[in-house]
Amino acid sequence: MMAETSMTDWKAIAVAKGFAPEDRVILPLEKLEAQFILLREQIAMETEPVTHHVLPLPDGSR
Amino acid sequence: MNIQEAGAELRARRVSSRELTAACLLAIERGNGKLNAFLTVTPEHALAAAETADRELAAGTDRGPLHGIPIALKDVFCTKGIRTTCGSLLYKDHVPSYDCAVAERLAAAGSVMLGKTHMHELAYGVTSNNPHFGPVRNPWNTDRVPGGSSGGSGAAVATGMAFMAMGSDTGGSIRVPGAFCNTAGLKPTYGRVSRFGVMPLDFSLDHMGPLTRTVRDAALCLQALAGRDERDETSSHAAVDSYLPAEGVSIRGLRVGVPSNFYFEQVDPDVAAAVRRMVQLAAGLGAQVEMVTVPDIAGLNAIGRVILLSEASAVFERFADRRSDFGVDVRILFDQGALLPATDYVNAQRLRRQFVTAFLQLFAGIDVLMTPTTPTVAKRIGESTILAGGVEEDFRLAATRMVRGINVLGFPAISIPCGFDGEGMPIGLQMIGRPFAERELLAAAAALEDATEFHKRMPPEFGG
C-alpha cells in the first residue's frame, strides 16, 4: 500500500519554525512531496545494494 | 570572430593577442554598464598574459588552439589573488589563494583571462537577477533575463566581450543562458571536467563547461579542460577523446531520437517550430530520425529537485546564522532543503540509479536525443511566472524543465542556437548524448551548425 507521506512530518516542523502554511517555503515543497511520493513507490528493492548512491554514473563508465 | 578564426589570424601574424585582448576589454568597457555581465575585470592581468602569449608565439612556442585567446570565468571559479564572490554577500570580499583546476588548465593552454562574469546568487537560479550585485541583462533585449545561473557568461560571449566564458551547470545553468543569449553551451558528462576549486552548489549535480560562439570552439575548450584530476575524486579516469569535429562533418546514419512525450508539451509554438525544423534538417542531412518515448522526465525533475534542495542546503548550512546575507529567493530554497527528510534524499538517489539505467537502455537505440533547451524564450526581468504553451508556470521550474533531469543522469548535453521568435529573441536546441560520448555529440551539433546561420547573428545593439 502506498504511503501517503514521509516518515518525518516536515510540515509540522516548518510551522513550528514559524513558516505560515501557505507561504513560499511550504507550498512548493508540498507539491514536490506529492510528486515524489508517487515516484518512491517505483523503487525496486532488487536494485539493492548499489554502490555510489550519490553519483549519477556507475563505476564502469569512469 | 570565433576562437578558430582568431587562432588562424594570430598564427598568420595578422593580429596579436594583445590586440584581441584590448578589443575585448573595449567591448567590456562599452557594454558592461548596460549588461552587467562582468563582476570583476582584470585588464592589467589580461594584457600581461596577452603579451606573454605574443612573445611565446613569436619565439615558436604554441600552446594550442586557445593560445592568446581572451576568455572569462564565471565568478564561481576560484582564481588566485582575484576576488571570487559566487554572486553572494557571503563571499563578497573572498580572494582565493589558489587557482581552480579549470583556471590552471586554461592558463596552461595559453588563454588570456579577462575577468569574472556575473551570475545568479550562489549559482542557485536561472535568472541571474542578483539582489546584491544587480541583474545581468540579456543583450538581445535588456529588459529581459539572460538566463542563469551563468548569465554573465552568456551575455559576455554573445556580445564579443570574450571568445569563451566558463559556466557551471547544476540544473541547466550553462544551457539555459546559451539558449537565451544565442551561444553554444556545453555541459560535459559528470566527471569529465575537474571541479577542484569551484565553489560548490551541489556536489552530485554540478558540471563545468564552456559557453562559446560555435560548437567547434566548445570542442576546443573541452579538449583543454577534460581529464582526470587527482584533487577531484569525482573526476573521471575515462580516456580523453579528440573532440574537434572535422570540417564538413557528416551526420549521415546518425540515429537521432525525438521525444514523442514531455519535451514538446507546454512549449511556445515558435520554440517547438524552430526545434522541429532542426529535426527536419538533421533528417535532410541523412540522419535516421525516429520518435522515441522517454522515461518520466517530470519524475526525473522531481528527483533532481529533491537532490538539489538537500545537497545545497547541506553545503550552505554553515551559514545558517547569516540569513540576511541571502536573497529572498535563494533563502527560500535553503529553507526548503533543510525541511526535506533524509529518507527522501536517499530514496531520490536510489531512483536516480533506476533512471540512469532506463536512459542507457534508451540510448542503446539512438546516438543523440534532440529537444528544446527551454519551453520559452527569455522572460522579462522580475517576472516570476511565465506562459509556456498557454499554461502559467513558475519561471524557474519552466526554464529548467527540459534540462534539469540531464544533470541527474550525468549525461552530456549541448544547447546550440536554432532560431528566433517573433520578437527576435533567441531559441536553443538541446542535444543529449551518451556518457563520455562528447565527440559524437559535438560532431552532430557541428553538422547542424554548419547547415545554419543562427549562431552568426549578434544582438543588434552590440554589433549585430
Side-chain angles (χ1 to χ4, degrees):
Chain A
M1 192 174 132
M2 192 176 75
E4 289 183 352
T5 185
S6 302
M7 285 189 289
T8 305
D9 188 354
W10 63 265
K11 193 173 171 184
I13 296 170
V15 172
K17 281 182 157 185
F19 297 111
E22 71 280 4
D23 80 5
R24 291 172 66 190
V25 172
I26 291 180
L27 275 182
L29 209 50
E30 278 184 327
K31 285 184 188 169
L32 177 59
E33 188 192 40
Q35 203 177 0
F36 188 70
I37 284 168
L38 295 175
L39 287 164
R40 203 175 54 194
E41 299 305 312
Q42 298 174 14
I43 297 176
M45 296 307 291
E46 62 270 25
T47 63
E48 314 299 339
V50 295
T51 57
H52 295 306
H53 269 307
V54 295
L55 296 178
L57 294 169
D59 284 350
S61 58
R62 316 202 138 256
Chain B
M1 202 187 294
N2 59 47
I3 292 175
Q4 281 190 302
E5 293 165 345
E9 293 295 300
L10 276 169
R11 282 160 190 80
R13 304 290 190 270
R14 285 191 291 268
V15 71
S16 67
S17 175
R18 195 181 202 291
E19 288 169 323
L20 291 174
T21 302
C24 286
L25 290 170
L26 183 61
I28 295 168
E29 187 181 321
R30 287 179 175 166
N32 205 42
K34 291 178 183 168
L35 298 177
N36 204 16
F38 276 79
L39 277 173
T40 302
V41 186
T42 53
E44 291 176 9
H45 174 279
L47 290 168
E51 284 167 7
T52 299
D54 285 333
R55 276 198 303 275
E56 286 183 348
L57 271 182
T61 301
D62 189 338
R63 294 171 181 261
L66 300 186
H67 191 125
I69 302 296
I71 59 101
L73 301 176
K74 182 179 181 178
D75 210 22
V76 76
F77 293 91
C78 285
T79 40
K80 184 178 181 181
I82 299 169
R83 185 177 74 138
T84 302
T85 68
C86 213
S88 166
L89 291 183
L90 300 173
Y91 300 109
K92 67 181 171 58
D93 301 315
H94 176 55
V95 179
S97 59
Y98 68 101
D99 277 330
C100 65
V102 162
E104 283 178 351
R105 290 192 182 214
L106 291 172
S111 70
V112 172
M113 212 275 285
L114 296 159
K116 311 296 289 291
T117 56
H118 196 3
M119 55 186 284
H120 202 101
E121 180 183 8
L122 296 170
Y124 210 174
V126 291
T127 64
S128 301
N129 186 6
N130 190 301
H132 314 300
F133 303 103
V136 187
R137 295 180 181 275
N138 190 312
W140 294 87
N141 180 336
T142 53
D143 291 334
R144 302 206 188 195
V145 301
S149 59
S150 311
S153 292
V157 171
T159 55
M161 294 179 181
F163 284 80
M164 179 277 275
M166 284 298 297
S168 62
D169 189 319
T170 304
S173 288
I174 290 172
R175 289 158 289 162
V176 173
F180 285 178
C181 294
N182 205 45
T183 76
L186 173 66
K187 182 199 82 64
T189 307
Y190 184 84
R192 182 69 295 176
V193 174
S194 171
R195 300 179 301 176
F196 172 74
V198 184
M199 299 167 88
L201 173 60
D202 181 306
F203 64 85
S204 80
L205 295 171
D206 291 345
H207 299 64
M208 308 303 139
L211 290 96
T212 52
R213 287 178 210 153
T214 68
V215 172
R216 286 186 179 82
D217 281 0
L220 294 175
C221 295
L222 181 62
Q223 202 71 57
L225 294 165
R228 170 71 180 170
D229 179 357
E230 295 296 332
R231 300 165 297 181
D232 173 3
E233 289 192 2
T234 65
S235 82
S236 174
H237 289 92
V240 173
D241 277 329
S242 179
Y243 296 114
L244 182 64
E247 292 303 317
V249 63
S250 169
I251 55 169
R252 185 161 296 283
L254 184 82
R255 298 172 303 170
V256 172
V258 180
S260 58
N261 57 319
F262 187 83
Y263 280 103
F264 290 89
E265 298 161 10
Q266 284 179 231
V267 174
D268 269 2
D270 284 348
V271 173
V275 172
R276 291 199 187 282
R277 279 194 294 272
M278 294 297 272
V279 171
Q280 289 168 359
L281 175 62
L285 293 171
Q288 297 173 19
V289 176
E290 64 170 302
M291 301 301 288
V292 294
T293 302
V294 294
D296 175 14
I297 304 296
L300 185 62
N301 286 338
I303 291 164
R305 288 178 62 206
V306 169
I307 294 169
L308 174 57
L309 288 168
S310 303
E311 291 188 10
S313 291
V315 168
F316 289 97
E317 192 175 33
R318 74 181 74 174
F319 298 112
D321 60 344
R322 294 179 63 179
R323 289 180 65 80
S324 62
D325 285 345
F326 293 100
V328 173
D329 286 353
V330 167
R331 192 168 63 222
I332 285 170
L333 294 172
F334 285 133
D335 285 337
Q336 290 176 343
L339 289 165
L340 271 173
T343 48
D344 281 3
Y345 174 74
V346 173
N347 283 328
Q349 295 289 5
R350 296 165 80 192
L351 284 160
R352 178 186 209 172
R353 180 54 52 88
Q354 291 183 196
F355 271 86
V356 169
T357 301
F359 267 85
L360 288 172
Q361 287 168 355
L362 171 68
F363 272 84
I366 60 171
D367 300 307
V368 170
L369 189 68
M370 286 174 65
T371 80
T373 305
T374 56
T376 70
V377 298
K379 72 172 182 76
R380 293 187 189 287
I381 294 170
E383 287 178 349
S384 59
T385 61
I386 196 164
L387 278 178
V391 179
E392 187 170 15
E393 267 187 275
D394 174 273
F395 178 71
R396 189 174 60 86
L397 298 182
T400 56
R401 176 147 53 85
M402 315 295 194
V403 287
R404 180 188 300 281
I406 313 310
N407 293 65
V408 181
L409 303 172
F411 287 24
I414 188 168
S415 179
I416 63 171
C418 75
F420 295 84
D421 79 346
E423 296 183 332
M425 296 303 293
I427 298 169
L429 165 74
Q430 179 176 229
M431 302 174 76
I432 304 161
R434 275 189 292 274
F436 299 102
E438 281 87 352
R439 177 186 166 92
E440 292 76 15
L441 177 66
L442 288 160
L448 293 179
E449 186 178 79
D450 287 347
T452 56
E453 300 280 323
F454 305 117
H455 63 287
K456 295 179 179 172
R457 278 176 65 174
M458 287 186 74
E461 205 182 329
F462 298 90

